């Protein structure tokens, strides 16, 4: 039995458009993503200090 999932793209042109939408969303939230990354780095450093 095959799953009936609609593809978000059907050819190379629509694939590129699909990928570009994802890239655009990441670019719009770049500062927020970088801040989250910095917070995770601080948390992992705190965790490392307790392990010693």
């Amino acid at each position: 039995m095959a799953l009936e999932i609609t593809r978000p793209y059907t050819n190379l042109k629509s694939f590129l458009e699909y990928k570009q939408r994802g890239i655009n969303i990441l670019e719009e939230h770049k500062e927020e993503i970088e801040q989250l990354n910095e917070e995770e780095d601080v948390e992992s450093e705190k965790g490392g200090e307790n392990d010693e």
Side-chain angles (χ1 to χ4, degrees):
M1 183 172 144
L3 296 176
E4 295 196 24
I5 301 172
T6 57
R7 290 184 181 179
Y9 51 87
T10 56
N11 57 33
L12 284 176
K13 181 181 178 192
S14 60
F15 172 74
L16 287 173
E17 291 169 353
Y18 172 75
K19 294 297 280 187
Q20 190 62 46
R21 282 193 307 260
I23 290 169
N24 290 341
I25 291 170
L26 290 174
E27 284 295 322
E28 289 174 12
H29 298 278
K30 184 177 181 178
E31 290 178 14
E32 185 179 343
I33 292 167
E34 288 174 352
Q35 175 139 4
L36 289 171
N37 188 42
E38 289 172 6
E39 290 173 6
E40 288 178 4
D41 288 346
V42 169
E43 288 296 318
S44 66
E45 287 176 9
K46 286 181 182 177
E49 291 173 4
N50 294 335
D51 292 342
E52 291 179 19

